[in-house]
């Protein structure tokens, strides 16, 4: 009797689709499994290779199935899609996952631990709260502008507007004042929560040795360092620093053919959050260099021939490569040595 060696598992909220094959490619399992029966079903199978798309709850199921002795590999959904033969349904998806996981050139996603996912949740909740803060401040400005009250750009401008509201400015009707005060209460709460998230992120950063080493890179602070450690559990999954930069989306987009290379702007594929943090950090380094000077000739030469924001993206790419070298090789950041003219 044939034994199942490879399984494609299409996960969902309630009903999972299983597609299992033998070593010769014979289809042995093609069935649906309810969520509560998944672990019992896989516990009854001999250890095998299980492929799962890296989507919602994929890391949880990867950890659970690995604890049963199976080998689990997560794949980006975009890399699995070409293996779907025709109509898209759960059976076709599970079959495509089963076929894709055995491809020798397939790229996989490292399974994250509960601690790493907790830190990622911390960053995502903070990002959501920052967006809520922006939304609330924009709403306060827009509503008060309807009564002719406009303040300067920035947080100080919002504080001036709220001071007018609290001082019972005659230009603001009583009903409108009550609405603005409700928004102001939400704004104060969100700001307090953001500060608490910042404290927790700083504590996680100080407790991690790799994160502390990454923060030695100019332009990398506790926020970016802790995000890098959480998003990249195994830096050796990338063969080089350029591969890490490409995963973040900081390499040129290619449209090459016939031996002729055509390079465009950055691909913007991959991790948007890390890309934005790296770019902001690079821009801070460039702004400091423009105001106070720098001993790094590479930045000086780059700024001489490129716009500031273009140079920031190039420096972000360079920072991503430094990050990979420090994480993969266990080294520390070293300032570049400038050769003295004889």
């Amino acid at each position: 009797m044939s034994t199942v060696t490879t399984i494609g598992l299409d996960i969902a909220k309630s009903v999972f689709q299983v597609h299992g094959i033998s070593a010769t490619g014979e289809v042995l399992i093609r069935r649906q499994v309810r969520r509560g029966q998944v672990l019992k079903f896989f516990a009854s199978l001999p250890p095998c290779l299980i492929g799962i798309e890296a989507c919602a709850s994929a890391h949880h199921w990867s950890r659970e199935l690995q604890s049963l002795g199976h080998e689990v590999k997560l794949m980006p959904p975009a890399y699995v899609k070409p293996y779907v033969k025709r109509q898209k349904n759960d059976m076709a998806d599970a079959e495509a996952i089963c076929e894709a996981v055995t491809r020798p050139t397939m790229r996989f996603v490292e399974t994250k631990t509960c601690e790493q996912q907790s830190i990622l949740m911390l960053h995502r909740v903070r990002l959501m709260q920052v967006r809520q803060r922006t939304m609330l401040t924009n709403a306060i400005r827009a509503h008060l502008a309807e009564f002719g009250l406009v303040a300067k750009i920035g947080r100080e401008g919002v504080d001036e507007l709220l001071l007018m509201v609290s001082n019972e400015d005659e230009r603001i009707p009583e009903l409108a004042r009550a609405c603005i005060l409700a928004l102001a209460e939400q704004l104060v709460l969100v700001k307090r929560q953001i500060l608490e998230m910042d404290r927790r992120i700083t504590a996680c950063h100080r407790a991690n040795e790799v994160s502390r080493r990454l923060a030695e890179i100019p332009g990398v602070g506790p926020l970016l360092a802790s995000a890098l450690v959480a998003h990249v559990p195994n830096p050796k999954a990338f063969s080089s620093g350029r591969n890490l930069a490409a995963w973040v989306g900081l390499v040129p987009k290619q449209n090459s053919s016939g031996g002729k290379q055509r390079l465009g702007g950055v691909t913007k594929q991959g991790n948007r959050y890390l890309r934005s943090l790296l770019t902001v950090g690079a821009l801070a380094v460039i702004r400091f260099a423009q105001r106070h000077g720098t001993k790094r000739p590479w930045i000086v030469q780059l700024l001489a021939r490129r716009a500031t924001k273009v140079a920031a993206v190039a420096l972000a790419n360079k920072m991503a490569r430094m990050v990979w070298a420090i994480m993969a090789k266990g080294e520390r950041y070293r300032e570049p040595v400038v050769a003295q003219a004889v």
Side-chain angles (χ1 to χ4, degrees), residues 242-261:
R242 187 190 183 283
N243 285 350
L244 175 61
W247 174 71
V248 176
L250 289 169
V251 297
K253 183 185 297 183
Q254 287 201 41
N255 187 23
S256 305
S257 179
K260 184 175 182 180
Q261 286 193 346

Side-chain angles (χ1 to χ4, degrees), residues 204-222 224-226 228-229 235-236 319 322-334:
C204 293
H205 161 71
R206 291 173 177 172
N208 190 284
E209 187 269 338
V210 178
S211 183
R212 294 197 302 271
R213 283 193 285 115
L214 291 178
E216 297 174 1
I217 303 175
V220 178
L224 175 55
S226 62
L228 286 165
V229 171
K236 294 185 179 179
M319 288 168 57
M322 294 179 190
V323 165
W324 177 84
I326 289 174
M327 295 182 72
K329 300 179 182 179
E331 299 180 357
R332 308 188 78 90
Y333 174 77
R334 296 188 298 270

Side-chain angles (χ1 to χ4, degrees), residues 54 143-144 146 162 183 186 188 230 244-245 257 278 301 315 323 336:
H143 290 314
L144 290 179
E146 295 296 330
L162 294 178
L183 293 177
Q186 293 184 36
V188 171
L244 175 61
S257 179
L278 283 167
Q301 296 169 6
L315 180 56
V323 165

Side-chain angles (χ1 to χ4, degrees), residues 31-284:
R31 57 169 292 187
Q32 290 183 346
V33 180
R34 305 292 298 184
R35 180 184 182 88
Q37 303 172 344
V38 171
L39 295 180
K40 181 179 179 181
F41 172 79
F42 281 98
S44 64
L45 295 177
C48 57
L49 172 63
I50 303 175
I52 305 176
E53 287 183 324
C55 53
S57 73
H59 293 276
H60 162 72
W61 289 112
S62 176
R63 293 190 296 266
E64 293 292 329
L65 295 176
Q66 285 180 17
S67 66
L68 297 176
H70 299 287
E71 180 185 3
V72 183
K73 292 187 177 181
L74 305 181
M75 298 167 288
Y79 293 168
V80 177
K81 186 177 180 180
Y83 293 92
V84 178
K85 293 184 173 61
R86 290 194 57 124
Q87 303 292 342
K88 184 193 182 312
N89 52 56
D90 292 346
M91 290 180 59
D93 288 346
E95 182 181 357
I97 294 170
C98 186
E99 184 177 353
V101 74
T102 59
R103 298 298 91 192
T105 58
M106 178 56 63
R107 297 176 182 177
F108 301 103
V109 177
E110 293 291 325
T111 301
K112 293 180 175 61
T113 63
C114 293
E115 291 74 16
Q116 289 167 334
Q117 285 196 297
S118 298
I119 297 176
L120 287 178
M121 184 183 297
L122 188 62
H123 281 268
R124 288 165 182 161
V125 171
R126 181 189 178 277
L127 181 61
M128 181 185 67
Q129 291 171 340
V130 169
R131 290 171 177 169
Q132 289 175 344
R133 182 182 63 186
T134 303
M135 179 184 67
L136 289 169
T137 55
N138 289 342
I140 292 172
R141 285 181 176 275
H143 290 314
L144 290 179
E146 295 296 330
F147 302 103
L149 300 177
V150 180
K152 59 184 178 182
I153 298 175
R155 298 178 184 177
E156 294 181 359
V158 177
D159 293 339
E160 292 177 5
L161 291 174
L162 294 178
L163 184 61
M164 295 178 189
V165 175
S166 61
N167 290 339
E168 298 185 356
D169 193 299
E170 295 180 355
R171 292 170 291 180
I172 307 174
E174 189 62 31
L175 185 58
R177 180 178 292 107
C179 295
I180 296 299
L181 289 176
L183 293 177
E185 290 179 4
Q186 293 184 36
L187 182 60
V188 171
L189 177 61
V190 168
K191 286 182 177 180
R192 190 183 303 121
Q193 290 175 340
I194 291 174
L195 289 176
E196 179 61 26
M197 292 297 169
D198 287 337
R199 294 190 190 98
R200 291 180 180 272
I201 289 175
T202 302
C204 293
H205 161 71
R206 291 173 177 172
N208 190 284
E209 187 269 338
V210 178
S211 183
R212 294 197 302 271
R213 283 193 285 115
L214 291 178
E216 297 174 1
I217 303 175
V220 178
L223 186 66
L224 175 55
S226 62
L228 286 165
V229 171
H231 278 96
V232 188
N234 180 20
K236 294 185 179 179
F238 302 96
S239 60
S240 65
R242 187 190 183 283
N243 285 350
L244 175 61
W247 174 71
V248 176
L250 289 169
V251 297
K253 183 185 297 183
Q254 287 201 41
N255 187 23
S256 305
S257 179
K260 184 175 182 180
Q261 286 193 346
R262 298 182 182 88
L263 302 180
V266 292
T267 62
K268 293 187 179 180
Q269 296 175 347
N271 197 304
R272 180 183 299 180
Y273 182 63
L274 288 182
R275 184 170 61 251
S276 64
L277 290 180
L278 283 167
T279 305
V280 170
L283 191 58

